[in-house]
Amino acid sequence: MGTEQLTEGWRVDERCTNCDVARQLAPGLIGEAEGRSVVLRQPRDQVEREALHSAAHACPTRSIRPPEGRLDPVLDPFPLALDAGVRLCGHNSPRTAGANSYLLARPDGSAMMVDTPRWSAALAARYQALGRVTDVLLTHRDHAAHGRRYADEFGARLWIHEGDLAAAPDADQVLRGTEPTEIATGVTAFPLPGHTEGSVLYLADDRYCFSGDSFYWSRTTGDLEVADSVTWYSIRELAASLARTAPRLRFEWLLPGHGDRRQLPADKMAERLRSLAERTGQLRPRPVDFTAVRW
């Protein structure tokens, strides 16, 4: 598809960084060509228009443009419910490489934020309106940019692992070592060094797995994958982390920072996670190459 077809109706402008966020939210409507997202076709109904508005309000560079040129805040769907217990924050930040972030509901009506969207006091108020946010959980250093701002606004505790402490030196809670830590009832942090030295996976209620950038669901392969071409610290450490941790995990929802989300029965997810651990153990270090990631 040539980019000349993107000049009318919905389009993607030249600021696109090919982060994949829009393609997650509007599959079939937004695809990839020549190293950037493109509009594959115009929406045919209200459901498809809503999908494109979701993509536009999540895009970290605001590159997804509606026919009228400006986004209507009334059509902003975020935070978007994915399940009864978790919402997608949207409004991804260019300072976190466009990573997804989430709100995890707790039984007492409070919430936890996992990684963060772009900073905005108005957004903070919107998230807080759904329930008092008690904790901001950072999965690793790449997603730490707005952690302190949100934690302070919420009056919440900011969490990070000691391996990535330089990215959030004023964190309130520092995870250490490689053993899991229960940080609240039903919520456990599993250190998972590999993507970065201080990468952490958060498991909630044996249902939700917030994997950061350690692994994700790939639309290309239809399976769990690691982004070994952008594993900054050590692919061998990531393999060891998965081998150690996979047998301890049981969940239905995979909720990564980058790459697709996926819900499967817990037994099926466990099978795929075991397979991922085995496959990752066979990988070897290679040069960083963003274009090699198979979203």
Side-chain angles (χ1 to χ4, degrees):
M1 176 178 180
T3 56
E4 69 277 359
Q5 298 183 51
L6 306 181
T7 58
E8 297 181 0
W10 283 88
R11 62 187 180 85
V12 181
D13 71 26
E14 68 283 354
R15 296 173 296 173
C16 173
T17 60
N18 204 28
C19 72
D20 192 58
V21 169
R23 301 193 292 267
Q24 297 164 20
L25 289 161
L29 296 170
I30 298 180
E32 182 182 5
E34 300 176 356
R36 59 177 282 190
S37 286
V38 296
V39 174
L40 299 175
R41 63 174 175 81
Q42 297 299 313
R44 296 169 179 159
D45 54 31
Q46 183 61 24
V47 171
E48 292 187 346
R49 283 190 289 274
E50 289 175 357
L52 283 169
H53 278 288
S54 296
H57 282 94
C59 175
T61 56
R62 293 294 191 258
S63 294
I64 313 301
R65 310 307 300 171
E68 55 272 23
R70 300 187 65 179
L71 293 178
D72 185 346
V74 174
L75 300 175
D76 178 358
F78 296 107
L80 181 67
L82 300 176
D83 189 59
V86 70
R87 290 175 180 262
L88 182 66
C89 292
H91 298 277
N92 299 37
S93 171
R95 294 185 59 195
T96 62
N100 291 308
S101 57
Y102 305 90
L103 284 172
L104 170 68
R106 306 313 302 140
D108 64 358
S110 66
M112 294 178 170
M113 178 176 276
V114 183
D115 290 331
T116 64
R118 66 173 66 234
W119 165 251
S120 161
L123 285 175
R126 184 185 302 181
Y127 302 136
Q128 187 86 315
L130 297 171
R132 182 174 63 91
V133 180
T134 61
D135 298 87
V136 176
L137 313 179
L138 299 177
T139 59
H140 64 294
R141 65 184 309 121
D142 305 347
H143 298 178
H146 310 292
R148 187 73 266 167
R149 293 290 300 273
Y150 273 105
D152 287 347
E153 186 75 10
F154 296 146
R157 300 179 297 176
L158 180 65
W159 294 75
I160 199 166
H161 191 275
E162 61 180 341
D164 283 359
L165 186 58
D170 52 357
D172 305 294
Q173 299 290 327
V174 180
L175 299 161
R176 302 187 186 279
T178 58
E179 285 302 301
T181 299
E182 186 178 44
I183 61 176
T185 302
V187 182
T188 301
F190 288 83
L192 214 72
H195 175 70
T196 65
E197 185 177 2
S199 288
V200 177
L201 173 156
Y202 295 98
L203 183 69
D205 308 324
D206 290 333
R207 182 169 176 80
Y208 308 111
C209 173
F210 302 94
S211 61
D213 290 352
S214 294
F215 56 94
Y216 66 98
W217 183 266
S218 170
R219 295 187 303 277
T220 300
T221 65
D223 207 348
L224 300 181
E225 301 291 350
V226 298
D228 60 310
S229 66
V230 287
T231 296
W232 306 108
Y233 181 56
S234 169
I235 192 64
R236 290 191 172 97
E237 284 293 328
L238 180 55
S241 294
L242 288 172
R244 178 181 63 251
T245 306
R248 303 180 178 187
L249 300 179
R250 185 172 182 82
F251 61 92
E252 298 175 16
W253 273 93
L254 174 64
L255 301 162
H258 297 282
D260 254 359
R261 298 164 287 279
R262 185 72 171 183
Q263 182 185 21
L264 291 174
D267 289 344
K268 296 294 185 182
M269 194 68 83
E271 291 175 10
R272 290 179 181 272
L273 189 58
R274 285 193 294 268
S275 174
L276 176 66
E278 294 172 1
R279 286 184 280 118
T280 305
Q282 299 171 11
L283 298 175
R284 294 296 177 265
R286 60 169 167 160
V288 171
D289 180 4
F290 286 96
T291 66
V293 180
R294 302 179 68 193
W295 298 123

